[in-house]
Amino acid sequence: PDGLGFLSYYVWMSVVAPECWVWHIRKDNAQQNKNAPREAPPEERCGNVARIRADMAEFRAQDVAHCYIFQETLTDDFRRCLQAYERSSPAVKGSVNWTKFEALVHGAALEEKLAREGKGLNTSEQRHGGSCERHFS
């Protein structure tokens, strides 16, 4: 609907209000085929931008997922999710390499350290078959 971002609308119709899933398509189909049963929910519910905005304002992603990672708090959320994963089953307890995780999180130049140990990524020249000057003049 007007003024609402695509992803917000997609999350709303697929998670918050699943009865409105592809409502706009079902509505168009019902209008084109007058003999078809009216399968689309009422426009007051699924086509009401104010209602969608209100639903999204009240929506808490944490209520619909075991673990949710937000971009704004990515590191802390990812850490909590990995901790929850390790607690989820005795079979996976201790399966996260916390030393590597913390090194990545704290910017310990893990790639350089691994490269010194012979375990890291190849250099740019090795990956791309030569220097920049060789490919671009």
Side-chain angles (χ1 to χ4, degrees):
D2 293 336
L4 193 66
F6 168 77
L7 290 176
S8 295
Y9 182 63
Y10 180 81
V11 168
W12 175 80
M13 73 173 169
S14 59
V15 177
V16 179
E19 71 277 10
C20 294
W21 177 249
V22 295
W23 165 81
H24 55 288
I25 295 172
R26 291 187 286 160
K27 180 185 83 157
D28 289 345
N29 288 344
Q31 287 174 349
Q32 289 174 8
N33 184 358
K34 301 296 182 198
N35 297 325
R38 183 133 179 110
E39 295 180 29
E43 187 161 354
E44 302 81 49
R45 168 70 180 126
C46 297
N48 184 331
V49 176
R51 175 67 189 264
I52 295 170
R53 288 184 189 282
D55 286 352
M56 290 303 290
E58 294 173 13
F59 174 66
R60 288 181 25 91
Q62 300 90 330
D63 294 341
V64 297
H66 294 286
C67 189
Y68 211 93
I69 298 175
F70 293 94
Q71 182 176 355
E72 300 84 359
T73 53
L74 185 128
T75 302
D76 291 335
D77 293 345
F78 193 36
R79 182 181 287 110
R80 268 192 298 277
C81 289
L82 289 172
Q83 290 167 341
Y85 171 71
E86 283 197 317
R87 289 190 307 269
S88 69
S89 166
V92 296
K93 185 175 183 179
S95 63
V96 175
N97 184 331
W98 289 106
T99 302
K100 282 187 179 180
F101 176 82
E102 293 302 333
L104 287 168
V105 166
H106 295 294
L110 183 60
E111 184 177 342
E112 289 179 22
K113 180 178 180 283
L114 292 173
R116 283 193 303 273
E117 296 171 1
K119 301 174 188 170
L121 297 173
N122 295 328
T123 66
S124 177
E125 188 169 313
Q126 290 170 322
R127 285 194 305 265
H128 300 292
S131 66
C132 289
E133 291 77 20
R134 179 173 165 218
H135 297 286
F136 306 100
S137 49

